Amino acid sequence: MPLPQNSALGRRRRLAATRIRRTAAEAMRPVLRVMSRSEPERDISAAALGLTMLWLSDDVITTVNRKLDRLGISENKLDILMIFAAQSAEDEESHGMRQTPSGISDYFGISKASATGVIDWLEKRGLITRTRQVQDRRSTPIEITPTGEQFVADAVPVFEEACRDLVRTLSDRDRKDLQRILEKLWVHLKDSDSRESDGD
């Protein structure tokens, strides 16, 4: 079942197609020009790099989701389902994510409402199941179903290829350098999220 194409995703895809005809610098020039008007003397090179990352992140998600369309699932839903699959054979004590909406929210850094929406979507398709605890009716642990496990087994090769294709043009050295830089940015952004949450 193919994913429905919403208008926002359609716009992103059209933008991605447009960007292919230009270099990143050419595509960003109008936006950077607007940024520089507020403080003409200010160096906006850091903002330019951040903008490249921002636009690239949209294109990355669009590219991967396009390849997952044939499976009828998006990257964010598959990520969560894959964590359930990874944890299904582990002891409860070794779980890296509590199998509840709050646990998913904390693990992936998304809102509880978004986590609940993904859970509802996966449950409706028989990929996961929720079971109420007799001792705590507020707790509804989530487990992957045999159907979900088979879905993950079928999806992994497609997803792995989609991820690998994103860096196909990079050399081994480029990949190692990029991995190091992205991990540093990952920590920076996660730390920023934590500080903002602590301030609430």
Side-chain angles (χ1 to χ4, degrees), residues 173-187:
R173 180 172 180 176
D174 287 341
R175 291 177 191 178
K176 289 177 182 176
D177 288 343
L178 183 60
Q179 184 73 37
R180 176 181 54 79
I181 292 167
L182 292 180
E183 286 179 0
K184 190 171 184 178
L185 287 169
W186 172 285
V187 171

Side-chain angles (χ1 to χ4, degrees), residues 10 18 87 101 106 108 133 137 144:
T18 300
Q87 293 184 342
D106 293 342
F108 286 97
Q133 297 282 56
R137 294 187 177 182
I144 191 168

Side-chain angles (χ1 to χ4, degrees), residues 86-103:
Q87 293 184 342
S88 65
E90 297 177 359
D91 296 331
E92 187 173 346
E93 291 76 16
S94 64
H95 283 180
M97 176 185 77
R98 288 176 293 112
Q99 293 172 305
T100 63
S102 294

Side-chain angles (χ1 to χ4, degrees), residues 68 78 82 155-166 168:
L68 292 176
L78 182 58
M82 288 176 70
V156 162
V158 178
F159 187 50
E160 182 185 350
E161 181 183 5
C163 292
R164 188 169 51 245
D165 283 350
L166 293 171
R168 190 176 295 278

Side-chain angles (χ1 to χ4, degrees), residues 32-42 44:
L32 295 176
R33 192 178 301 124
V34 172
M35 287 182 178
S36 64
R37 286 177 190 163
S38 60
E39 295 185 51
E41 303 303 319
R42 186 174 183 177
I44 61 169

Side-chain angles (χ1 to χ4, degrees), residues 61 74-81 83-84 97-98 100-122 142 186 189-190 193-194 196-197 200:
I61 294 298
S74 61
E75 174 269 337
N76 65 325
K77 294 179 178 72
L78 182 58
D79 278 344
I80 291 174
L81 188 61
I83 294 295
F84 285 132
M97 176 185 77
R98 288 176 293 112
T100 63
S102 294
I104 293 170
S105 173
D106 293 342
Y107 191 93
F108 286 97
I110 60 177
S111 69
K112 188 176 177 181
S114 295
T116 299
V118 172
I119 291 168
D120 290 343
W121 190 95
L122 294 171
I142 305 159
W186 172 285
L189 293 174
K190 292 300 182 184
D193 286 345
S194 297
E196 288 178 8
S197 297
D200 291 343

